[in-house]
Amino acid sequence: MEFAAKRRVVPALLILLAATASAQAPASGPTDPRAFLDKYCVTCHNQKLRTAGLTLDSLDVSKAATRADIWEKVIEKLRAESMPPPGIPRADEATYRAVASALEDQLDRAWAAHPNPGRIGAVDRLNRTEYNNAIRDLFALNLDVKPLLPGDDTADGSFDNFADVLSISTAHLERYMSVARQVTRLAVGLPPQQPTLERFEIPRDVLQNDRQSEDLPFGSRGGIAVPYNFPVDGEYLIKVRLQRQYQDYLKGMGWPQTLDVRLDGKLLKRFTVGGAGKGRPAAASYAGDGEPGFAGDPSWETYMQLTGDQGLEVRVPVKAGPRVVGVSFVRELWEPEGLPQPQQLGRVISNDQVYMGYANVDSIQIAGPYDVSKSKPDTPSRRAIFVCHPETAAQERPCAATILSHMARLAYRRPSTKADVDTLLQFFDQGRRDGGNFDAGIQFALERMLVDPDFLLRVYRDPTGQNSTAPYHLTDLELASRLSFFLWSSIPDDRLLTLAEHGELSNPSTLETEVRRMLMDPRATNALVNDFAAQWLNLRRVDETVVDPDRYPQYDLSLLQAFQQETKLFIASTLHEDRSVHDLLDADYTFVNERLAREYGISGVYGSQFRRVTLPDLNQRGGLLAQGSLLVTTSYPDRTSPVLRGKMLLNNIFGLPIPDPPPGVLPLETKRGVVPASMRERLAQHRTNPSCNNCHSIIDPLGFALENFDVIGGWRTKDEAGRPVDATGTTLAGKKIDGLAGLRSLLLAQPDQFPRTVTEKLMAYALGRRVEYYDKPAIRKIVRDAAPHQYRWSSLILGIVQSPEFQMRLPQPVKGETLAAN
């Protein structure tokens, strides 16, 4: 992350304008909380009616801190201006804000005097991502082991690092033992007992007309680049299989095409595929399953189904370590003769019958090793592990102790003890005997280390002699782990551990220095984008999206992948440049390749490489809300959904949780062959149900603001039924929203609103637990302190790290006692 000296003027100007607007528009209603409640709230929320189980007439506003749980809910409703419900007299915006601020001030003062950091779970298991990253950092080994481990539950649809849902099952234990063996044998460089074979496939729905990866050469087309860790020096077989369509015919084999196989960019072998079919070919639609009149000559059929991709393999000596195996075609540009045909996308790709089209790669198989070299491999993993090399048998055990002490310190995230090393040395001795050499002993000891609870679990222990109700500070070592798993989703590095071991990390200036250092590390951007933001914005669901190919024939899997890449690159740029989080909403740039630019109507972009572009019209594009990744996951396969989009906006952007619909509520349906009423009319009918109106009166106006975007994020002026799009809405407070620009203006009208949402999401992710009512004062303080810094990412992250919630913890209460509260 770059902490640029140049400051943005826009957020600061927004703060000034908001303050000016507040000064020019004084509250017209009662700003004293008690008077406000008596006028607008206690009619329903009294001891007699107890609407929604809430009574406000009997609560003492002057002692709000004694029932902070209730008053924080009241503040949330006031900030959203969602109460009273429609049809009942309401206050103006300035009055809502004044009353909410008065209640917040009282709660915040009480919190400042007696902070309540809450209590995270005593045991926190590493989730799959954290385990994978820990393996990466321990062994300098880029290996994706997540598919080998059981999936992690996601708490309430939010984050998969919440301690209370990360249970340990028998399946976990079995997989941990299996993965530990695979990982450590690869890291140490032990040859497999026999040659293995791994297969890497390309989905059929991916279009292979352009360069597919930055690891493939310019001027290439299609194919795949596979990062692969070769375990030892030896010979390996690389075999290519071409793609077949559903009827098992090879695609695009009517003419000769050049296929390259490369290792780390170096050409290993070049093949010619296609153009060798003999005899009469089948008809233009040749997938007739051999029926008379459709099938070609037997020799042609055999070539198209069996022999067309035989012999596409190369056997080559490879040095151990991380390499990139690349397979791609040499790109040849041409235009077919005859009548132009529409581009084949969507599910048609899977059944491509264009004989004179492009051949595609289906998969790569990597087999080996064969003829294993007897020399010890030189890999980044071995350099990370073997901090010493014994030259005699007498030196082996002392060297093993040094290696295992070093590795255990990193893995267990604390100084290794004599007991730790003695346990691992027992496994070293056994591995040395069974494997016959020093390396085998180290591998077996490391395998034991990876299944140790001190590696798999983060355990918080209450200090002895601690007052049972007062919060206490985490130790420096606990703080180091919490910080590294927050910013890197991985274990602390040597520098962080060293500071913690010396008791220096908790020093405020040292802590800030370390936070800034860690944010500049690529691991921070990787974790905050691919782990935090991907879950916050549901980017992981993009791959699961189903789109109706009849309504959207231009859709294909390549487009979905481009949606994800755009959002990840966009968020990464705001982190790297340490921009204001407001830029997530109103940035005038994005990242596109040719495929995505065509979908967005952006001209002048060619090729598969993503590049940063300035957006021509901020009323149609700009910020997260106009990106396909968010729009496609909040749509149904054949139509947009103002409800799904409105709920996403409230939960993830406005920070106002909306519950799921009550049981028995049926979805909106459309009968085939019948022109439906407009979505606006159907939802208006839906809101006539009082149990639906309370939520939909808040959700729907926001969702309608995004109606100019179709299911896959394209700009439109007519909806699915051909009617003109109406992207306007009116909130409960009477505010008009008109399309994307109006929605953006609504969000930025209160400069602290979106930063508060981001901070709340970040804090939940950082703490590994849900944000509770007693955390709200801390969140407000973080946002207030970040305002002079234009709500930059670094200011919010530093605020979280410096908060009592992050650095402190409540102890387990003694029976009969209650935890400290605001």
Side-chain angles (χ1 to χ4, degrees):
M1 179 182 289
E2 296 176 355
F3 296 92
K6 185 178 179 180
R7 299 287 181 181
R8 287 189 80 221
V9 177
V10 174
L13 182 60
L14 285 170
I15 296 169
L16 177 61
L17 289 174
T20 303
S22 297
Q24 292 174 346
S28 61
T31 58
D32 174 71
R34 182 73 269 165
F36 179 93
L37 295 173
D38 290 342
K39 182 174 181 178
Y40 294 108
C41 304
V42 298
T43 304
C44 298
H45 299 290
N46 54 59
Q47 295 187 69
K48 183 177 181 180
L49 295 180
R50 302 180 65 85
T51 303
L54 179 63
T55 60
L56 297 177
D57 56 340
S58 59
L59 289 179
D60 188 348
V61 179
S62 65
K63 299 179 180 178
T66 61
R67 291 308 310 267
D69 55 334
I70 293 179
W71 291 115
E72 289 292 354
K73 293 179 181 178
V74 171
I75 290 169
E76 187 176 277
K77 297 294 184 183
L78 293 172
R79 288 290 183 188
E81 300 179 34
S82 60
M83 285 290 166
I88 298 177
R90 307 168 57 82
D92 57 41
E93 179 182 358
T95 302
Y96 274 108
R97 296 185 66 181
V99 175
S101 296
L103 290 171
E104 287 173 348
D105 289 345
Q106 187 180 159
L107 294 175
D108 292 351
R109 286 195 302 271
W111 175 86
H114 303 286
N116 177 4
R119 178 178 172 83
I120 58 172
V123 178
D124 188 354
R125 172 176 64 81
L126 303 191
N127 64 21
R128 290 196 302 176
T129 299
E130 292 166 342
Y131 182 98
N132 196 91
N133 292 346
I135 294 298
R136 175 199 66 198
D137 294 341
L138 264 176
F139 301 124
L141 189 63
N142 268 314
L143 185 69
D144 186 8
V145 300
K146 294 190 293 294
L148 305 178
L149 297 172
D152 297 314
D153 293 327
T154 300
D156 301 333
S158 53
F159 300 107
D160 61 7
N161 67 341
F162 283 10
D164 61 347
V165 298
L166 290 172
S167 59
I168 300 180
S169 65
T170 304
H172 281 97
L173 299 177
E174 292 173 351
R175 298 311 302 161
Y176 283 143
M177 289 189 286
S178 174
V179 171
R181 169 156 293 194
Q182 294 179 54
V183 165
T184 53
R185 289 186 67 88
L186 181 61
V188 170
L190 297 185
Q193 296 178 347
Q194 58 186 11
T196 61
L197 184 147
E198 291 189 64
R199 179 185 174 94
F200 304 89
E201 295 185 352
I202 303 176
R204 280 179 171 172
D205 293 332
V206 170
L207 202 62
Q208 296 190 38
N209 288 0
D210 294 309
R211 181 175 177 232
Q212 297 296 103
S213 167
E214 296 297 308
D215 291 319
L216 295 174
F218 288 106
S220 67
R221 173 193 66 79
I224 186 175
V226 177
Y228 189 79
N229 284 281
F230 291 88
V232 294
D233 298 351
E235 285 196 351
Y236 293 85
L237 179 68
I238 302 171
K239 184 173 182 179
V240 182
R241 180 178 169 87
L242 298 183
Q243 198 173 79
R244 290 159 167 78
Q245 36 86 300
Y246 277 150
Q247 283 77 21
D248 222 24
Y249 285 85
L250 289 167
K251 294 182 179 181
M253 296 293 285
W255 59 290
Q257 296 158 71
T258 303
L259 179 72
D260 291 346
V261 179
R262 297 174 181 270
L263 182 66
D264 290 340
K266 181 181 178 182
L267 181 64
L268 297 179
K269 193 168 184 179
R270 175 165 283 178
F271 300 92
T272 298
V273 299
K278 305 297 183 182
R280 177 181 57 82
S285 295
Y286 54 77
D289 298 325
E291 295 179 12
F294 287 91
D297 286 345
S299 59
W300 185 88
E301 292 281 336
T302 300
Y303 174 73
M304 289 294 292
Q305 297 190 53
L306 298 176
T307 63
D309 61 348
Q310 285 185 353
L312 303 180
E313 58 185 55
V314 56
R315 184 160 169 164
V316 61
V318 182
K319 289 287 187 181
R323 304 279 184 262
V324 176
V325 178
V327 175
S328 61
F329 292 93
V330 174
R331 187 176 189 186
E332 300 178 65
L333 299 177
W334 52 275
E335 288 293 331
E337 296 180 352
L339 198 64
Q341 299 295 313
Q343 188 176 21
Q344 299 207 17
L345 297 174
R347 65 184 179 190
V348 181
I349 300 175
S350 303
N351 201 24
D352 184 348
Q353 299 180 40
V354 182
Y355 183 47
M356 296 301 295
Y358 281 133
N360 290 340
V361 173
D362 174 72
S363 63
I364 298 178
Q365 296 177 5
I366 302 176
Y370 309 97
D371 299 330
V372 177
S373 171
K374 294 183 179 180
S375 62
K376 292 185 178 181
D378 179 21
T379 64
S381 297
R382 285 185 58 87
R383 292 193 290 271
I385 294 169
F386 290 95
V387 294
C388 60
H389 299 275
E391 297 181 358
T392 65
Q395 295 176 349
E396 286 192 356
R397 216 163 187 273
C399 179
T402 300
I403 290 172
L404 298 176
S405 175
H406 166 71
M407 296 302 296
R409 172 178 176 266
L410 295 173
Y412 300 161
R413 307 173 287 280
R414 57 168 174 76
S416 56
T417 65
K418 183 177 183 302
D420 296 328
V421 177
D422 287 347
T423 298
L424 296 176
L425 282 174
Q426 293 177 25
F427 284 82
F428 165 79
D429 292 338
Q430 182 178 338
R432 177 72 176 82
R433 288 193 303 270
D434 296 344
N437 58 56
F438 178 79
D439 289 4
I442 293 295
Q443 179 275 323
F444 197 49
L446 294 178
E447 182 181 333
R448 165 62 177 82
M449 182 187 75
L450 291 188
V451 296
D452 195 290
D454 280 350
F455 172 67
L456 297 172
L457 307 176
R458 294 158 59 193
V459 179
Y460 296 91
R461 295 179 174 86
D462 293 341
T464 57
Q466 172 70 27
N467 183 298
S468 62
T469 60
Y472 63 88
H473 284 272
L474 300 180
T475 67
D476 276 48
L477 287 169
E478 290 170 335
L479 183 59
S481 280
R482 174 168 277 193
L483 185 59
S484 66
F485 281 105
F486 171 29
L487 297 182
W488 290 345
S489 290
S490 185
I491 57 177
D493 63 1
D494 179 74
R495 173 169 165 170
L496 202 61
L497 272 179
T498 300
L499 288 170
E501 289 166 351
H502 294 163
E504 299 174 6
L505 183 59
S506 54
N507 179 284
S509 61
T510 302
L511 185 61
E512 178 174 347
T513 299
E514 285 305 293
V515 170
R516 294 188 180 277
R517 175 185 73 87
M518 294 174 72
L519 286 174
M520 294 176 67
D521 192 295
R523 286 176 289 184
T525 301
N526 178 66
L528 291 172
V529 171
N530 294 311
D531 205 23
F532 165 68
Q535 295 184 81
W536 166 36
L537 299 173
N538 292 319
L539 300 183
R540 294 179 178 179
R541 291 188 52 225
V542 174
D543 287 337
E544 304 167 6
T545 301
V546 177
V547 177
D548 185 344
D550 295 328
R551 284 190 180 272
Y552 297 94
Q554 74 272 32
Y555 143 81
D556 59 42
L557 189 56
S558 299
L559 182 60
L560 293 185
Q561 293 173 344
F563 285 156
Q564 285 182 311
Q565 186 70 354
E566 174 199 19
T567 302
K568 289 180 178 181
L569 289 173
F570 174 67
I571 297 173
S573 74
T574 66
L575 283 161
H576 181 68
E577 298 168 21
D578 195 24
R579 287 174 168 261
S580 166
V581 295
H582 283 157
D583 282 14
L584 295 175
L585 301 177
D586 66 352
D588 62 354
Y589 70 92
T590 190
F591 293 82
V592 296
N593 61 2
E594 181 178 354
R595 178 74 183 86
L596 186 56
R598 187 166 62 245
E599 176 67 20
Y600 285 174
I602 299 173
S603 61
V605 177
Y606 302 100
S608 59
Q609 185 177 19
F610 277 80
R611 77 289 316 260
R612 181 168 174 163
V613 297
T614 300
L615 295 166
D617 186 352
L618 292 183
N619 289 323
Q620 293 188 11
R621 296 287 169 191
L624 290 170
L625 303 183
Q627 293 184 1
S629 57
L630 273 68
L631 297 165
V632 74
T633 54
T634 51
S635 298
Y636 291 111
D638 60 344
R639 67 169 176 85
T640 59
S641 173
V643 176
L644 293 179
R645 289 179 176 178
K647 189 172 186 290
M648 177 273 293
L649 289 169
L650 285 165
N651 285 342
N652 293 337
I653 306 299
F654 284 87
L656 302 171
I658 292 291
D660 292 326
V665 175
L666 299 177
L668 299 174
E669 294 183 358
T670 300
K671 295 182 179 179
R672 286 193 172 272
V674 177
V675 178
S678 71
M679 184 58 62
R680 190 174 293 272
E681 293 168 345
R682 293 159 70 190
L683 286 172
Q685 177 66 30
H686 192 66
R687 289 195 299 272
T688 59
N689 183 336
S691 64
C692 300
N693 185 48
N694 285 342
C695 288
H696 278 274
S697 59
I698 305 171
I699 296 172
D700 297 351
L702 300 177
F704 280 125
L706 296 176
E707 274 294 275
N708 278 122
F709 299 101
D710 65 21
V711 168
I712 55 175
W715 182 263
R716 64 179 184 176
T717 56
K718 294 184 181 297
D719 65 14
E720 291 87 359
R723 300 185 181 91
V725 167
D726 182 0
T728 62
T730 304
T731 68
L732 282 179
K735 298 175 185 175
K736 301 290 185 180
I737 309 173
D738 189 356
L740 173 66
L743 182 60
R744 190 187 291 132
S745 297
L746 179 65
L747 277 161
L748 295 176
Q750 298 182 36
D752 64 342
Q753 179 168 305
F754 182 61
R756 189 182 302 160
T757 301
V758 176
T759 303
E760 184 170 324
K761 299 294 183 180
L762 261 176
M763 178 169 279
Y765 174 78
L767 299 180
R769 65 166 174 81
R770 298 164 187 82
V771 168
E772 303 291 353
Y773 71 90
Y774 44 77
D775 301 311
K776 297 299 178 75
I779 292 171
R780 290 192 286 267
K781 181 181 186 303
I782 292 167
V783 174
R784 284 195 303 271
D785 293 345
H789 305 285
Q790 290 81 49
Y791 304 109
R792 294 179 182 272
W793 277 107
S794 60
S795 62
L796 298 179
I797 290 171
L798 277 167
I800 290 171
V801 172
Q802 293 165 348
S803 69
E805 266 71 4
F806 194 86
Q807 297 193 26
M808 301 178 72
R809 182 174 183 258
L810 284 176
Q812 178 70 37
V814 177
K815 187 176 181 180
E817 294 181 332
T818 57
L819 294 177
N822 290 345

